[in-house]
Amino acid sequence: MTSIAASVPLRTPRRAWLTDLPVLLVAVVWGASYLAAKGITTTHTVVAVLVLRFAVVLPALVVACRRGLRALTPGQWRGAGLLGLILSGIFLLETYGVVHTSATNAGLIISLTMILTPLAEAAVTRTRPPRAFLAAAGLSVAGVVLLTQGGGFTTPSLGDLLMLFAALARTVHVLAMSRFKAAEGADSLSLTTVQLGSAVLVFALLAAVPGTGASPWSVALDFGPREWAGLLFLSVFCTLFAFFVQMWAVRRTSPSRVSLLLGTEPLWAAAAGIAIAGDRPGMLGVAGAALVLAGTSWGRRAAGESGR
């Protein structure tokens, strides 16, 4: 039976790493983003912070890729705009989810993207995902369970459900990028700019609705140097860099491979907690980290072999 990655051209291990490494760096900065977001966001400032997070980088992007934007076809504009709508949903779900649940639950639930993506990809392409790949993803999820046990589980809450929907939305976004045929030959940075512009529009419209929290302007005025540093980290690295790399990488490898690498995000979140917040994972956490790394490495090999 044809594998889910059969359409991805065979690459040498060295060339594969050239694609995998930037995706892994995205997982690293996303792992650190939990601490950054918690440091500058409250229940009443979620939408305002999202407006600022995206709007900070958008003007520079528009200037930098103005020629590429003019070169986009109407179909590419529509496709990238739709991806931006999905992206806005991901950020709303994740940010509200993190505010309303524990970091332990959030990290575990969002890691389900590793399982959901290959299953969804198999359903869309009507193919069977490699057993080795699913086993590797399962091993990584088991590692996440151990990694996040230090804080213990809370009773399932609204935040838990929001994080589950965020994992589903991430899966939809990755699959949509891989099937965005009109994007072939288009400049990745221009497509990323359209996505971010669509997301900013959604957040700005929500911010204008009464009852959605503080205004972006008032939140910006209340920010000090620490909050602005956190916002710039979220804007430049966790937003601009991250989604540009996703758009670039998913067109050169399989959605499942990208999601498996991004699935190491909880590992890096724990590392940031240990290095910055002084968290101590204990022996279970160390064992979980080892399982995440082992599962990711195994899954990468399984994805590469299935493309042969």
Side-chain angles (χ1 to χ4, degrees), residues 167-183:
L168 289 168
R170 278 195 184 190
T171 297
V172 171
H173 189 253
V174 173
L175 291 179
M177 284 193 294
S178 70
R179 300 176 70 82
F180 184 16
K181 301 303 180 183

Side-chain angles (χ1 to χ4, degrees), residues 29-30 32-41 49-50 52-54 56-57 91 95 223 227-243:
V29 297
W30 274 356
S33 71
Y34 285 102
L35 282 177
K38 281 182 173 295
I40 65 173
T41 311
V49 168
L50 287 174
L52 296 172
R53 175 176 178 173
F54 282 64
V56 161
V57 296
F91 274 93
T95 308
F223 273 1
E227 288 79 12
W228 276 109
L231 181 68
L232 289 174
F233 172 75
L234 291 172
S235 298
V236 177
F237 293 99
C238 302
T239 304
L240 175 60
F241 169 75
F243 287 96

Side-chain angles (χ1 to χ4, degrees), residues 203-222:
F203 300 144
L205 290 175
L206 288 176
V209 176
T212 55
S215 70
W217 179 251
S218 64
V219 170
L221 290 177
D222 288 338

Side-chain angles (χ1 to χ4, degrees), residues 125-273:
T125 59
R126 298 182 180 180
T127 55
R128 179 183 299 174
R131 292 181 180 179
F133 188 94
L134 291 178
L139 186 66
S140 294
V141 171
V144 171
V145 173
L146 293 178
L147 185 65
T148 57
Q149 276 296 295
F153 287 102
T154 61
T155 302
S157 64
L158 172 63
D160 297 328
L161 293 176
L162 291 173
M163 294 306 298
L164 178 58
F165 284 121
L168 289 168
R170 278 195 184 190
T171 297
V172 171
H173 189 253
V174 173
L175 291 179
M177 284 193 294
S178 70
R179 300 176 70 82
F180 184 16
K181 301 303 180 183
E184 295 179 2
D187 175 46
S188 294
L189 187 59
S190 298
L191 295 174
T192 300
T193 301
V194 177
Q195 284 194 71
L196 297 184
S198 299
V200 168
L201 179 60
V202 171
F203 300 144
L205 290 175
L206 288 176
V209 176
T212 55
S215 70
W217 179 251
S218 64
V219 170
L221 290 177
D222 288 338
F223 273 1
R226 184 182 66 85
E227 288 79 12
W228 276 109
L231 181 68
L232 289 174
F233 172 75
L234 291 172
S235 298
V236 177
F237 293 99
C238 302
T239 304
L240 175 60
F241 169 75
F243 287 96
F244 171 75
V245 168
Q246 274 198 96
M247 175 68 75
W248 171 80
V250 81
R251 292 157 65 183
R252 289 163 173 79
T253 184
S254 72
S256 297
R257 189 175 181 121
V258 170
S259 287
L260 191 69
L261 288 167
L262 293 179
T264 63
E265 177 184 334
L267 173 63
W268 306 113

